[in-house]
Amino acid sequence: MDYATLKAFKPSEYEDAADGYRSMGNVAQAAKDRVENTVAAGMRKTLQGDAAEAAQKQLQALTKNFHYIQTECGVISTALNGFAYDMAAAKRKLDTAIGDAQGCTVNPDGSVTFPAGQKPGDEKVADGGTVTGSAGGSPTSDAVERQAANIHPNPNYGKAMGYANRIADAVREATDADTKWAPKIQALKADDDLTVSARDWTDVTSDTGGVRDAADAYLDTIKPPPKNDLPQDNANWWNGLSEEQRAAYVSMHPASIGALDGLPSAVRDDANRMVLAEARGAAQVEYDTWLKKHPEPTRHTDYINPMTGTIMKGVKVDSVAWKEWEEARKSAHKSIDGMDAIQNRFDQTGTKGLPEAYLLGFSTEGDGRAILANGNPDTADHQSVYVPGTTAELGKIEGDINRSVNVWRSADDNADGESVSSITWLGYDAPDSVPKDAPFEHYAYDGAPALNRFLDGLETSHTGDTAPHRTVISHSYGTTLVGAAAQAGDLNADDVVFAGSPGVKVSGAEEMDVPKGHVWNEEAEGDVVPDLGRYGHGGDGFRIPSDEQFGANQMTTDTEGHSGYWDEGSTSLENQALVVVGKGEDVALKPPPNPLTSEEVLRSK
């Protein structure tokens, strides 16, 4: 970078280019959404067969391409704005130095020519001259220059040197910015094929990190989100940003934006899908590396008859080495399974009328987090939030997603034309084991504040004319968390449904922060978990929602065991759906237990 280049530099040209890339990213996003939620979804409704499946795969690949373009355009836009910001700062310093150099001439190479001059008391007029500045002066060099200026017979020498040094400083600052940004911007290019691979997404992660580090000065001009994490404050912050600032923050901090309760669901979904795509790419690369380091051993081995100790001809079994390898392989692939389950739900949009999905939270930290909505909760008349229990984690989230899908289908059938959004909320670290972890309450109390913030955020981001009807559905240890959330603060819900609860940390339905008569419970035949909670806590005042004294509405169930409450076509599921759409009066309830006669009481003794 030299004086002439900096003098001619126009930051606005790079800012305009940044706007162009941002617009291109918006176009790619719109194309992605149209392909995924209109074209592909429409085909799923009407077409079947091998050709339709092949077309769906091509559309999925096209969607990934558009998503990649959208994400990279956001990174490029931020990079160009960051470069323009740094260069504009240097340009302002240069322009100010040139403007201040009155009476002197700034030459094309950045040197400064000063006119002849005479100091007071001197007899002679000293000749003018030309000086070239130096950047980054030290206290010592500055002192030497001041001494030289005092000694020099021309009073204009010192001024000219000052202007020349300021010019040199500006050029040095621009050179540093150019040196910093050149490799970052040059790295923003895709490979020369049409396939968006896992390594392409890991490259996006690298690009984003590089630009984020380089653009720190530019990003510091954008006010960060509030630290208190209150949904309404988050919404106010977002609404106060310009379109450019929003785009920059999403491109550089997608995980942060995706986690902010109170922001529009479409914004969180967009940010979290970026995080998901990059995480999926990184996980695939890591898994491929694992496979290379752990080649598959021979699977089949001869079967030895344990009675005779002889090899049975023609009979093969899985070897011990292969079984151990397969177990380790499944563990290495677990996070990918969870991420693919989320993508699967995206790809199901339109199937049997299933609405668009919104990814409202995502993280691979620990056991992983995921919050997925069927339908846009911001516009829904009815919202349901399902909280899973023990062993819930990202790698196993497919079952929890399917439960919310079933809730949506049944609720939509009963909604009389009103809109429904059903949400799977895996926003906490669930216990990993029933005997080892589930007895501990800290999982519930650690996760309760996050659930309360999320529920408050649903209210903040809702845009309908009237407030939505909100139901919290929980299963197993998830019911314990919901009870803890009711204790920790106002549970922002109109109805609460418990299923297979081992206990909810409160002594009665009246403590659940919902209107009287709006606490519902299901306990199926063969579900041992309520009994584990009932007898495990003894007489410490800890009640189970299945107990009559708790005061919950005991709903009829026709499923068996601990995990069947969401079986398609079941009364257990239908009852939940009726609560979700505000039709509690139509719920089938279990008859109250018959009181014992005095004779039966005596016999029982």
Side-chain angles (χ1 to χ4, degrees):
M1 182 67 64
D2 56 22
Y3 167 79
T5 302
L6 180 58
K7 189 171 186 296
F9 186 87
K10 296 180 179 179
S12 61
E13 293 180 350
Y14 290 84
E15 292 167 346
D16 289 345
D19 290 342
Y21 274 102
R22 188 171 70 248
S23 297
M24 188 184 302
N26 292 338
V27 171
Q29 179 184 5
K32 171 183 72 71
D33 292 344
R34 178 171 175 76
V35 171
E36 184 174 63
N37 298 320
T38 302
V39 179
M43 288 179 62
R44 293 186 197 108
K45 291 180 182 179
T46 58
L47 300 178
Q48 293 181 344
D50 293 342
E53 289 182 9
Q56 285 289 336
K57 290 181 179 179
Q58 291 182 343
L59 289 174
Q60 289 169 10
L62 182 60
T63 298
K64 290 180 180 179
N65 287 348
F66 281 132
H67 192 203
Y68 177 76
I69 293 171
Q70 172 199 353
T71 305
E72 281 284 51
C73 281
V75 176
I76 294 171
S77 176
T78 303
L80 291 173
N81 274 323
F83 174 63
Y85 179 86
D86 288 349
M87 292 296 293
K91 182 76 160 53
R92 285 192 298 272
K93 291 182 178 180
L94 177 67
D95 292 344
T96 301
I98 294 173
D100 290 346
Q102 299 296 327
C104 294
T105 301
V106 179
N107 301 309
D109 62 353
S111 61
V112 177
T113 298
F114 57 92
Q118 183 179 11
K119 286 185 175 181
D122 286 357
E123 296 181 359
K124 292 179 57 180
V125 174
D127 294 336
T130 299
V131 293
T132 300
S134 59
S138 66
T140 300
S141 64
D142 290 344
V144 171
E145 285 190 355
R146 286 194 298 271
Q147 186 176 14
N150 290 331
I151 296 174
H152 200 283
N154 190 328
N156 296 315
Y157 169 83
K159 296 179 181 178
M161 183 56 70
Y163 300 143
N165 285 341
R166 288 166 59 187
I167 291 171
D169 282 338
V171 173
R172 168 68 68 82
E173 185 174 327
T175 301
D176 291 344
D178 186 55
T179 301
K180 175 181 71 172
W181 277 108
K184 307 295 184 184
I185 294 177
Q186 289 171 358
L188 300 178
K189 58 183 179 181
D191 51 29
D192 57 358
D193 58 49
L194 297 178
T195 300
V196 179
S197 66
R199 291 203 174 273
D200 287 329
W201 282 110
T202 59
D203 185 55
V204 170
T205 303
S206 176
D207 290 345
T208 302
V211 171
R212 184 168 52 239
D213 291 342
D216 54 351
Y218 167 64
L219 295 174
D220 283 346
T221 66
I222 304 174
K223 182 181 178 182
K227 294 182 179 180
N228 60 25
D229 207 22
L230 295 177
Q232 187 59 60
D233 288 348
N234 292 339
N236 294 340
W237 167 77
W238 180 256
N239 293 333
L241 299 181
S242 67
E243 182 180 352
E244 176 189 313
Q245 290 172 328
R246 290 178 179 178
Y249 220 93
V250 170
S251 66
M252 293 295 102
H253 303 285
S256 297
I257 293 297
L260 285 180
D261 295 312
L263 266 59
S265 293
V267 172
R268 297 181 69 175
D269 175 62
D270 183 36
N272 283 316
R273 290 200 191 205
M274 293 181 188
V275 180
L276 172 65
E278 293 180 36
R280 178 62 175 79
Q284 186 64 54
V285 170
E286 184 176 342
Y287 177 69
D288 292 342
T289 301
W290 186 92
L291 287 177
K292 290 179 181 178
K293 291 182 178 180
H294 302 84
E296 182 177 4
T298 300
R299 177 168 183 174
H300 295 118
T301 187
D302 293 327
Y303 176 70
I304 299 176
N305 189 319
M307 302 297 292
T308 64
T310 59
I311 296 174
M312 295 186 66
K313 293 182 179 180
V315 180
K316 297 289 185 180
V317 294
D318 291 338
S319 67
V320 174
W322 185 86
K323 288 180 179 179
E324 293 176 348
W325 176 87
E326 177 64 4
E327 197 64 30
R329 186 200 65 78
K330 287 180 179 178
S331 178
H333 199 270
K334 183 182 291 186
S335 66
I336 295 178
D337 292 336
M339 288 183 267
D340 287 350
I342 294 172
Q343 183 61 50
N344 239 6
R345 171 56 192 89
F346 295 155
D347 297 339
Q348 290 173 358
T349 296
T351 304
K352 297 181 181 178
L354 200 60
E356 298 175 18
Y358 292 79
L359 189 57
L360 305 181
F362 179 80
S363 171
T364 58
E365 293 184 11
D367 288 338
R369 304 280 192 277
I371 305 171
L372 188 66
N374 302 293
N376 190 344
D378 294 352
T379 57
D381 299 305
H382 302 280
Q383 303 168 340
S384 72
V385 179
Y386 165 67
V387 183
T390 303
T391 74
E393 59 181 30
L394 178 60
K396 301 176 182 177
I397 199 169
E398 182 176 11
D400 294 318
I401 291 174
N402 291 339
R403 288 175 178 178
S404 287
V405 166
N406 289 346
V407 168
W408 184 89
R409 293 195 192 283
S410 187
D412 184 64
D413 289 342
N414 288 281
D416 297 332
E418 293 185 320
S419 56
V420 177
S421 176
S422 66
I423 302 167
T424 297
W425 187 85
L426 179 54
Y428 80 113
D429 181 21
D432 293 328
S433 164
V434 172
K436 293 181 180 179
D437 302 313
F440 297 101
E441 62 184 19
H442 70 84
Y443 294 96
Y445 285 111
D446 290 346
L451 177 61
N452 279 327
R453 284 194 303 272
F454 179 74
L455 296 174
D456 290 344
L458 289 179
E459 182 172 291
T460 299
S461 62
H462 196 263
T463 58
D465 294 332
T466 59
H469 171 253
R470 187 175 304 114
T471 302
V472 175
I473 303 171
S474 52
H475 179 230
S476 192
Y477 192 89
T479 68
T480 309
L481 186 148
V482 171
Q487 285 183 322
D490 293 334
L491 189 70
N492 202 335
D494 302 292
D495 284 274
V496 170
V497 176
F498 298 126
S501 174
V504 297
K505 311 307 296 179
V506 297
S507 60
E510 70 278 1
E511 299 178 31
M512 286 305 302
D513 289 331
V514 294
K516 185 177 180 179
H518 287 258
V519 177
W520 311 81
N521 184 69
E522 292 185 332
E523 180 180 344
E525 288 290 331
D527 188 347
V528 301
V529 170
D531 281 341
L532 289 174
R534 181 178 292 113
Y535 299 119
H537 292 281
D540 60 359
F542 188 93
R543 295 195 183 280
I544 307 301
S546 301
D547 294 341
E548 183 183 1
Q549 298 92 330
F550 186 85
N553 298 302
Q554 302 298 326
M555 298 194 289
T556 298
T557 57
D558 59 344
T559 52
E560 293 186 5
H562 189 55
S563 303
Y565 296 99
W566 292 271
D567 290 352
E568 288 187 80
S570 67
T571 299
S572 302
L573 175 63
E574 178 81 359
N575 280 336
Q576 292 185 38
L578 289 170
V579 174
V580 168
V581 297
K583 294 184 177 181
E585 68 278 4
D586 296 334
V587 168
L589 298 177
K590 291 181 178 179
N594 293 322
L596 295 175
T597 65
S598 59
E599 183 178 348
E600 289 171 328
V601 170
L602 289 173
R603 280 204 304 266
S604 68
K605 294 181 179 180

